[in-house]
């Protein structure tokens, strides 16, 4: 365990980063993990076990990134490992139909009444990109209405006022996205139904869908205000738009049936990723049968993928969903996350540091702010430099947090009482260091 005052020794990681930077931009395969927003070097990970990560320098951390959400059972869960091993022994990829795809699709359809049919892809980005294409084809309209601070992957039309890394690095709309592509992207503040109504009044005829993270997780965790999602459903119906829930983060996370179940709603289309792949690269989109039947080869809307429905990813997903189906799984997640959230709030309070802990199920964020965060504007008012200090303080005490104020922390079934209590203790010390 690293010594709190020094931070973890990261010599081998620093060397690995220098080597990586020669051949990869920023030394990473995805921007936020470079740690640029919190300072210091990222530990290079050697292995994960249960709730723990170990780096190549020999430090061990309690992990609340959990691969940014997929690892709801923790690292290297034996059932997932065995399932993937068994699948690998019989072939890694066929580019042909397999029964595992049906097994996973049936589990998803069973958990999510809105998903009558599903198509597997390889990432959340692919899922939202494809759902958007389908929504445009089904309605014959080009536009999309999204929310400030929501992130739907790096799809051109949706990379506008985007959260996650785009916000972390201060470029919520990216160069390289042609103006004509985002011309028909409308943006409303999260939790603001009046703004949505206003946009619909002015432009509904040209808008295919409303896409929303039903619990925003990419500007930190921002729950929907009471009535917000219901209001979106009503407005979508009133103006003839499709309602797309981006449940890449929340699907099988905030409830088995995702946010749609938690808040009692039926979207027209749903995008998934993360948990349904159990840590392997997978995404999916699904929804009403009449919509999904417009996809090729049944209908004319084209979308394809060589590795889609990959047997290893299907096996990991099935094993993960089966463990989650055991009695008490979601209650245990809820209990651990609630205790953690309560302990973190107490730690900040005791140290006199203004902070808001916002949680839905087993995803949460600690916002360094004196007010509740309800939208992008309030998220942006957080003290990101203090978050960097908190992050470093927690890392030094063996707790690995997402390296940005604008990301969610994830609790897994592997996080037991011991890990949660040690995290809270670390937070008491780290917050005292901020005061
Ligand atoms: N955009 C991802 C989190 N919301 C980060 C993924 C990663 O760096 O792996």
């Amino acid at each position: 365990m690293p010594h709190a005052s020094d931070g973890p020794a990261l010599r081998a990681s620093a060397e690995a980063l220098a080597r990586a930077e020669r051949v990869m931009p920023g030394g990473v395969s995805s921007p936020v993990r470079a740690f640029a927003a919190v300072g210091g070097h990222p530990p290079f990970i050697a292995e994960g076990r249960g709730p723990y990560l170990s780096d190549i320098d020999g430090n061990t951390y309690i992990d609340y990134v959990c691969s940014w959400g997929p690892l709801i059972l923790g690292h290297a869960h034996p059932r997932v490992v065995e399932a993937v091993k068994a699948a690998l022994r019989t072939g890694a990829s066929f580019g042909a139909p397999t029964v595992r795809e049906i097994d996973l699709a049936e589990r998803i359809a069973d958990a999510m009444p809105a998903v009558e049919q599903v198509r597997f892809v390889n990432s959340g980005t692919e899922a939202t990109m494809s759902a958007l294409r389908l929504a445009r084809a089904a309605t014959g309209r080009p536009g999309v209405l999204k929310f400030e601070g929501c992130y739907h992957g790096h799809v051109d039309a949706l990379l506008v006022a985007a959260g996650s890394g785009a916000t972390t690095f201060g470029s919520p709309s990216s160069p390289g996205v042609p103006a004509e592509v985002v011309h028909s992207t409308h943006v409303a503040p999260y939790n603001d139904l009046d703004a949505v109504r206003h946009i619909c009044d002015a432009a509904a005829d040209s808008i295919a869908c409303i896409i929303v993270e039903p619990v925003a997780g990419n500007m930190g965790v921002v729950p929907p205000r009471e009535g917000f999602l219901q209001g979106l459903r009503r407005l979508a119906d009133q103006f003839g738009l499709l309602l797309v829930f981006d449940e890449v983060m929340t699907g099988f996370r905030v409830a088995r049936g995702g946010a749609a179940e938690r808040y009692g709603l039926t979207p027209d289309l749903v995008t998934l990723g993360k948990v349904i792949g159990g840590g392997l690269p997978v995404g999916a989109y699904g929804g009403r049968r009449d919509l999904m039947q417009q996809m090729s080869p049944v209908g004319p809307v084209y979308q394809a993928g060589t590795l889609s429905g990959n047997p290893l990813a299907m096996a990991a997903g099935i094993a993960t969903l089966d463990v989650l189906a055991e009695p008490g799984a979601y209650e245990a997640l809820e209990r651990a996350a609630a205790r953690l959230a309560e302990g973190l709030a107490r730690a900040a309070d005791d140290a006199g540091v203004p902070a808001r802990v916002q949680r839905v199920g087993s995803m949460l964020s600690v916002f360094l702010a004196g007010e509740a965060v309800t939208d992008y504007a309030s998220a942006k008012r957080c003290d990101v430099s203090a978050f960097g200090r908190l992050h470093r303080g927690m890392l030094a005490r063996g707790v690995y947090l997402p390296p940005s104020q604008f990301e969610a922390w994830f609790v897994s079934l592997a996080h037991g009482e011991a890990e949660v209590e040690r995290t809270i203790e670390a937070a008491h010390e780290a917050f005292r260091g901020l005061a």
Side-chain angles (χ1 to χ4, degrees):
M1 187 68 64
H3 191 274
S5 58
D6 308 334
L10 290 173
R11 199 160 147 194
S13 291
E15 282 168 15
L17 182 64
R19 195 177 139 211
E21 280 171 344
R22 283 196 284 278
V23 284
M24 299 159 70
V28 289
S29 298
S30 188
V32 185
R33 58 179 87 160
F35 270 46
V38 290
H41 294 311
F44 273 61
I45 303 307
E47 71 169 36
R49 269 185 204 284
Y52 295 103
L53 278 182
S54 308
D55 66 22
I56 59 173
D57 290 279
N59 304 299
T60 298
Y61 312 93
I62 305 172
D63 179 21
Y64 290 101
V65 177
C66 289
S67 188
W68 305 90
L71 300 179
I72 198 162
L73 309 182
H75 293 273
H77 189 282
R79 296 260 296 268
V80 177
V81 172
E82 284 317 309
V84 174
K85 269 162 68 179
L88 183 55
R89 269 191 221 106
T90 52
S93 180
F94 308 115
T98 65
V99 172
R100 283 195 183 91
E101 291 161 80
I102 317 172
D103 290 341
L104 187 56
E106 284 174 348
R107 282 162 174 78
I108 293 170
D110 183 54
M112 303 187 155
V115 179
E116 292 175 328
Q117 292 211 309
V118 64
R119 165 68 58 87
F120 291 111
V121 291
N122 299 289
S123 69
T125 293
E126 266 189 68
T128 54
M129 181 182 77
S130 310
L132 180 55
R133 180 175 304 150
L134 173 54
R136 285 168 159 165
T139 58
R141 302 170 185 165
V144 55
L145 194 164
K146 77 172 288 280
F147 294 91
E148 244 182 330
C150 282
Y151 177 73
H152 306 289
H154 53 92
V155 180
D156 277 356
L158 300 174
L159 205 51
V160 179
S164 190
T167 286
T168 302
F169 296 113
S171 52
S173 306
S174 173
V177 174
E180 57 272 26
V181 173
V182 291
H183 179 70
S184 51
T185 301
H186 301 264
V187 182
Y190 196 75
N191 272 326
D192 186 343
L193 275 181
D194 286 341
V196 176
R197 193 173 300 110
H198 191 71
I199 292 170
C200 288
D201 278 336
D205 286 358
S206 65
I207 300 177
C209 64
I210 300 173
I211 186 166
V212 66
E213 290 182 74
V215 175
N218 283 291
M219 49 181 149
V221 174
V222 179
R225 264 198 189 117
E226 174 124 31
F228 175 60
L229 299 173
Q230 288 77 0
L232 293 183
R233 180 67 277 176
R234 261 196 317 277
L235 288 170
D237 290 343
Q238 182 187 334
F239 287 94
L241 317 185
L242 298 177
L243 180 62
V244 184
F245 272 11
D246 180 343
E247 298 235 34
V248 167
M249 236 182 227
T250 51
F252 290 92
R253 164 66 65 181
V254 299
R256 187 162 176 86
E261 176 186 320
R262 197 162 175 126
Y263 297 99
L265 281 145
T266 309
D268 300 298
L269 290 172
V270 176
T271 61
L272 296 165
K274 301 196 189 271
V275 171
I276 62 158
L280 272 81
V282 71
Y285 60 102
R288 276 172 25 208
R289 181 180 307 275
D290 64 301
L291 292 172
M292 294 305 291
Q293 289 281 306
Q294 301 204 25
M295 296 311 300
S296 184
V298 189
V301 185
Y302 200 70
Q303 178 275 314
T306 298
L307 290 168
S308 296
N310 174 265
L312 308 186
M314 298 296 104
I318 293 163
T320 299
L321 299 197
D322 285 353
V323 174
L324 286 173
E326 288 171 5
Y330 284 94
E331 289 78 359
L333 284 165
E334 193 79 35
R335 243 189 339 269
R339 168 65 191 135
L340 177 64
E342 173 202 42
L344 292 168
R346 170 68 61 87
D349 208 39
D350 285 357
V353 175
R356 291 291 174 135
V357 182
Q358 299 190 181
R359 176 183 76 86
V360 177
S362 55
M363 50 194 274
L364 61 94
S365 286
V366 177
F367 287 108
L368 293 181
E371 54 173 353
V373 173
T374 57
D375 55 15
Y376 191 58
S378 44
K380 291 288 284 176
R381 284 197 288 274
C382 290
D383 185 343
V384 288
S385 128
F387 182 83
R389 292 199 303 281
L390 175 68
H391 188 277
R392 294 193 294 279
M394 293 297 273
L395 194 72
R397 292 169 177 85
V399 181
Y400 185 87
L401 304 178
S404 166
Q405 172 70 96
F406 307 111
E407 298 285 357
W409 308 15
F410 295 101
V411 176
S412 79
L413 278 176
H415 288 82
E417 216 180 301
E419 286 80 26
V420 169
E421 295 309 321
R422 266 178 50 209
T423 306
I424 294 169
E425 253 170 60
H428 274 278
E429 291 178 19
F431 273 116
R432 275 200 292 276
L434 293 194

